[in-house]
RNA sequence: GCGCUGUUAGCUCAAUCGGCAGAGCAUCUGACUCUUAAUCAGAGGGUUGAAGGUUCGAUUCCUUCACGGCGCACCA
């Protein structure tokens, strides 16, 4: 590493000088009376004459420092913003001033003083007491260009957050989004629950899991790929409305909208079907957008998006008809297969009709769905937990919704027929045996739960990271995850 | 996994056709009690991502590797 560089050596020397002067460079606490933002709001009207009634104490990180002989200006940054401080030798006393001159950009200090306005009109604290709160021995990036290298920003998010205030805005918004959703669900009498992340049998989605091992139990465990089957167990147990913000883990590739660990909101409502869930979804998301932005119309990467309900609804078959040159309804399985091959889709010939339809959808339709759109009625083969459509058992009551060409969520009328569910599990288990590493095992305990009887239920999953991308206008999922997955540096 | 592309001082970036590795900011020393990309005078700071090759000579050309970015593939 770069511990030997000159800048760090110099800072360590200053640290020792400060210690030698009898000052603790890492004291235990400090009691600010204000935040920088609070000062800007409260003291808008102060003039250039310092007045003792405008006394404040703040703590923050030195971001700029301009020393001029026996006085100095600096900007301190706290969690709410920045403010200028003016430190004079006559203000703090010669001993303190000498120590202050050993402070560097990056150091965290506390100051007390009186708010006034400088000759150039900037609100400033005229400091009379200064205290070192934490000595920084590693230099921050430069004040003007800041930190732009993506690798460093993702690996050292702490430095990114210090240097790039807009990054912090994104993550504060993420917090607000989650809070808005939580508030709305709580108002609607949903119960927030916690279910296992370490699961002996993974399921509820099609994905390769991460595997770990429990020594005492002497058995493998899987990091959840979904929490669906646990939440449905709770519906069996008598919860009518449950949800969980679930950190899920999928052992798959990473790209602009996939991170190996991500956050999914899953919710289940007894006695509802997927049409009810569609209404819930568009209202939940539209209200969230409105709470965050004050409107349901936002711009994402230059595209106007309108979240106001009702959203467009199309069956999967209709959507393929609209966005391709053929009508899948009128084609045989062989003809569909040919269309897929013509479109460049790689198939091994063992795919079912439903799998081919889903592939055609992915290729012809998905990236064209810019405005919020529900695509509903999915092939049964790709939907092992959804209820069949009464009039057509090849399809299930399932929808996904798409915005800006991204899949944002997935929902269905939950399959509650234990006999049918067992059959679907057996098909998955057969696929697993054939080498499909995204298929999953039979979950006997889940089947036992269904055998007790689960009410008709509507379920929903929403990708919170992707929703945050939309609402913060970020191109990459890595920009809405504080610590995105990276290869080790060395 | 494939293709393209990047990696030079703490940070942001230059370096012509292969010819002494530079700037700004930051740092250090000195001056300076309303500055704000403070100013002025001076100084220090490099294994050019790593290893190898070609060459009298490589930041520059070639090979391999490491770590990013973008696209594709995989994947909901």
């Amino acid at each position: 590493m770069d511990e030997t560089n000159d800048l760090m050596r110099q800072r360590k020397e200053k640290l020792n000088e400060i210690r030698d002067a009898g000052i603790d460079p890492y004291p235990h606490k400090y009691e600010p009376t204000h935040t920088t933002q609070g000062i800007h709001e409260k003291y808008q009207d102060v003039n250039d004459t310092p007045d003792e009634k405008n006394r404040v104490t703040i703590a923050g990180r030195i971001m700029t420092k301009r020393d001029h002989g026996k006085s100095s200006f600096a900007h301190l940054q706290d969690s709410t913003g920045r403010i200028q401080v003016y430190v004079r030798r006559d203000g703090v006393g010669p001993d303190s001033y000498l120590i202050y001159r050993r402070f560097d950009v990056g150091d965290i200090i506390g100051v007390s003083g009186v708010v006034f306005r400088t000759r150039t009109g900037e609100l400033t604290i005229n400091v009379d007491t200064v205290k070192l709160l934490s000595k920084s021995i590693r230099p921050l990036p430069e004040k003007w260009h800041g930190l732009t290298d993506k690798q460093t920003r993702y690996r050292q998010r702490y430095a990114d957050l210090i240097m790039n205030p807009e990054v912090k805005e994104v993550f504060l918004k993420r917090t607000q989004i989650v809070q808005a959703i939580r508030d709305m669900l709580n108002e609607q009498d949903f119960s927030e629950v916690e279910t296992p992340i370490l699961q002996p049998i993974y399921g509820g989605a099609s994905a390769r899991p991460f595997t770990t091992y429990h020594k005492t139990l002497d058995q493998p465990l899987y990091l959840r790929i979904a929490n669906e089957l646990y939440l449905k167990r709770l519906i069996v147990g008598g919860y009518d409305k449950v949800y969980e913000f679930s950190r899920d883990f999928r052992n798959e590739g990473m790209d602009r909208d996939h991170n190996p660990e991500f956050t999914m909101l899953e919710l289940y409502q007894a006695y509802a079907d997927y049409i009810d869930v569609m209404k819930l979804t568009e209202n939940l998301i539209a209200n969230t957008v409105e709470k965050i932005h004050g409107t349901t119309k936002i711009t994402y990467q230059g595209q106007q998006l309108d979240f106001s309900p009702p959203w467009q609804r199309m069956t999967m078959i209709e959507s393929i008809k609209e966005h391709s040159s053929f009508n899948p309804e009128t084609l045989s399985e062989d003809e569909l297969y040919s269309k897929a091959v013509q479109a460049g889709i790689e198939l091994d010939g063992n795919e079912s009709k439903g799998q081919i339809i889903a592939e055609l959808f992915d290729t012809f339709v998905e990236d064209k769905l810019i405005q919020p759109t529900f695509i509903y009625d999915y092939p049964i083969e790709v939907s092992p937990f959804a209820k069949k459509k009464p009039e057509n058992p090849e399809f299930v009551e399932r929808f996904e919704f798409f915005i800006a060409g991204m899949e944002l969520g997935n929902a269905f009328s939950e399959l509650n027929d234990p006999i049918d569910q067992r059959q679907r599990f057996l098909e998955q288990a057969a696929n697993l045996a054939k080498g499909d590493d995204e298929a999953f095992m039979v979950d006997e305990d889940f089947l036992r739960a269904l055998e007790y009887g689960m009410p008709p239920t509507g379920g929903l999953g929403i990708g919170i990271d992707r929703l945050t991308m939309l609402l913060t206008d970020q191109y990459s999922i890595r920009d809405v995850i504080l610590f995105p997955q990276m290869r080790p540096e060395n």
Side-chain angles (χ1 to χ4, degrees):
Chain A
M1 299 291 285
D2 47 8
E3 273 73 9
T4 54
N5 80 50
D6 257 7
L7 297 175
M8 291 192 66
R9 191 178 44 71
Q10 285 163 353
R11 283 176 176 231
K12 285 179 190 169
E13 280 167 14
K14 288 182 192 172
L15 175 67
N16 289 333
E17 288 168 25
I18 289 165
R19 281 210 165 101
D20 290 346
I23 293 164
D24 178 1
Y26 300 103
H28 292 70
K29 67 171 288 179
Y30 197 70
E31 291 182 356
T33 59
H34 290 71
T35 62
T36 59
Q37 187 183 39
I39 291 169
H40 284 296
E41 286 164 2
K42 183 172 175 187
Y43 297 104
Q44 284 175 34
D45 298 327
V46 303
N47 59 26
D48 55 1
T49 317
D51 183 335
E52 188 56 33
K53 75 176 194 292
N54 297 329
R55 170 162 295 277
V56 297
T57 299
I58 64 159
R61 189 185 297 274
I62 300 173
M63 296 305 291
T64 64
K65 193 161 178 265
R66 296 175 292 282
D67 291 334
H68 323 219
K70 299 178 189 62
S71 76
S72 171
F73 288 90
H75 278 98
L76 295 193
Q77 174 170 293
D78 68 6
S79 68
T80 65
R82 287 187 184 188
I83 194 160
Q84 180 167 259
V85 297
Y86 180 41
V87 182
R88 287 180 315 131
R89 194 178 67 169
D90 292 350
V92 298
D95 293 345
S96 278
Y97 192 71
L98 213 58
I99 294 295
Y100 170 84
R101 292 299 287 258
R102 310 309 291 156
F103 293 174
D104 292 302
V105 169
D107 290 358
I108 297 169
I109 66 173
V111 298
S112 289
V114 170
V115 179
F116 75 112
R117 204 169 284 281
T118 60
R119 186 183 293 158
T120 51
E122 179 162 351
L123 204 63
T124 300
I125 303 172
N126 188 20
V127 174
D128 47 50
T129 312
V130 59
K131 183 178 184 185
L132 179 62
L133 302 180
S134 183
K135 180 70 191 153
S136 163
I137 59 168
R138 183 178 291 274
L140 282 174
E142 174 235 336
K143 64 189 172 191
W144 191 242
H145 299 90
L147 178 62
T148 61
D149 179 70
K150 283 212 164 140
Q151 183 163 188
T152 310
R153 292 181 49 205
Y154 295 146
R155 288 189 195 281
Q156 302 183 33
R157 184 68 88 182
Y158 36 86
D160 191 24
L161 287 164
I162 292 168
M163 297 308 298
N164 296 313
E166 69 281 8
V167 171
K168 199 157 156 198
E169 288 298 311
V170 167
F171 289 103
L172 288 176
K173 257 185 194 161
R174 180 175 175 134
T175 300
Q176 290 166 7
I177 289 163
V178 170
Q179 195 57 49
I181 293 171
R182 180 174 276 132
D183 287 347
M184 282 184 272
L185 291 176
N186 290 346
E187 275 166 29
Q188 293 175 45
D189 295 322
F190 277 84
S191 298
E192 184 171 14
V193 296
E194 294 181 280
T195 63
I197 295 171
L198 291 173
Q199 302 181 349
I201 295 177
Y202 62 92
S206 300
R208 198 186 311 142
F210 287 92
T211 306
T212 186
Y213 192 80
H214 193 288
K215 281 185 181 151
T216 302
L217 293 178
D218 191 23
Q219 68 163 79
L221 289 171
Y222 303 95
L223 275 67
R224 68 181 167 200
I225 59 173
N227 58 350
E228 160 147 2
L229 302 185
Y230 283 93
L231 293 182
K232 285 197 277 200
R233 282 170 170 93
L234 296 179
I235 298 291
V236 169
Y239 279 87
D240 281 346
K241 295 177 172 183
V242 290
Y243 72 96
E244 179 176 14
F245 286 97
S246 175
R247 183 72 64 87
D248 295 340
F249 307 84
R250 297 186 182 177
N251 205 338
E252 288 161 357
M254 301 152 62
D255 59 29
R256 137 175 150 74
D257 51 11
H258 293 83
N259 193 65
E261 55 182 299
F262 63 102
T263 302
M264 176 106 86
L265 167 68
E266 287 204 35
L267 68 83
Y268 292 83
Q269 179 171 347
Y271 311 111
D273 70 359
Y274 74 145
I275 301 297
D276 298 316
V277 176
M278 270 189 215
K279 292 174 194 156
L280 186 155
T281 301
E282 59 193 6
N283 285 325
L284 186 67
I285 300 226
N287 287 337
T288 302
V289 177
E290 182 140 23
K291 274 195 182 178
I292 302 301
H293 286 281
T295 165
T296 51
K297 294 184 178 64
I298 65 168
T299 301
Y300 179 69
Q301 302 291 297
Q303 300 171 115
Q304 295 291 127
L305 300 178
D306 184 353
F307 288 83
S308 49
W311 298 352
Q312 193 181 357
R313 301 180 184 196
M314 272 193 285
T315 67
M316 179 173 274
I317 295 291
E318 285 166 1
S319 74
I320 296 172
K321 201 193 304 183
E322 176 160 333
H323 291 283
S324 74
S325 56
F326 54 91
N327 179 358
E329 269 175 313
T330 63
L331 298 181
S332 69
E333 182 168 346
D334 285 348
E335 289 167 323
L336 287 171
Y337 187 87
S338 305
K339 291 288 182 194
V341 171
Q342 280 170 32
I345 299 169
E346 287 178 29
L347 298 170
D348 61 18
N350 294 321
E351 287 80 6
S352 64
K353 184 178 178 185
Q355 285 169 324
I356 296 169
I357 289 172
E359 291 286 342
L360 290 169
F361 171 80
D362 284 351
T363 301
F364 284 101
V365 185
E366 179 165 353
D367 60 359
K368 300 190 178 72
L369 301 176
I370 304 302
Q371 297 305 317
T373 305
F374 290 116
I375 299 295
Y376 64 101
D377 292 356
Y378 277 57
I380 189 167
E381 297 95 327
V382 296
S383 313
F385 298 106
K387 243 179 187 168
K388 289 170 191 165
K389 291 192 69 70
E391 70 278 11
N392 183 356
E394 289 183 15
F395 288 87
V396 296
E397 292 193 347
R398 173 183 179 187
F399 72 80
E400 294 187 320
F401 63 102
F402 297 84
I403 307 170
M406 275 194 295
E407 180 201 330
L408 262 288
N410 183 19
F412 15 94
S413 300
E414 302 293 337
L415 178 56
N416 62 345
D417 173 344
I419 311 293
D420 189 353
Q421 183 69 75
R422 179 175 293 279
Q423 192 55 42
R424 310 270 194 105
F425 266 123
L426 292 175
E427 285 158 17
Q428 286 293 320
N431 290 341
L432 191 64
K434 274 191 288 184
D436 177 355
D437 57 6
E438 285 162 23
F440 44 81
M441 306 168 261
V442 180
D443 188 334
E444 285 292 347
D445 179 71
F446 176 66
L447 287 170
R448 177 166 61 191
L450 288 192
E451 286 161 3
Y452 280 110
M454 182 173 85
T457 298
L460 168 68
I462 298 176
I464 295 299
D465 311 275
R466 291 180 185 176
L467 181 62
T468 303
M469 288 166 66
L470 293 177
L471 299 196
T472 57
D473 197 19
Q474 296 301 307
Y475 179 75
S476 168
I477 198 167
R478 284 186 298 270
D479 292 316
V480 299
I481 292 175
L482 281 166
F483 300 98
Q485 197 58 239
M486 303 284 278
R487 283 197 166 83
E489 281 177 82
N490 299 312

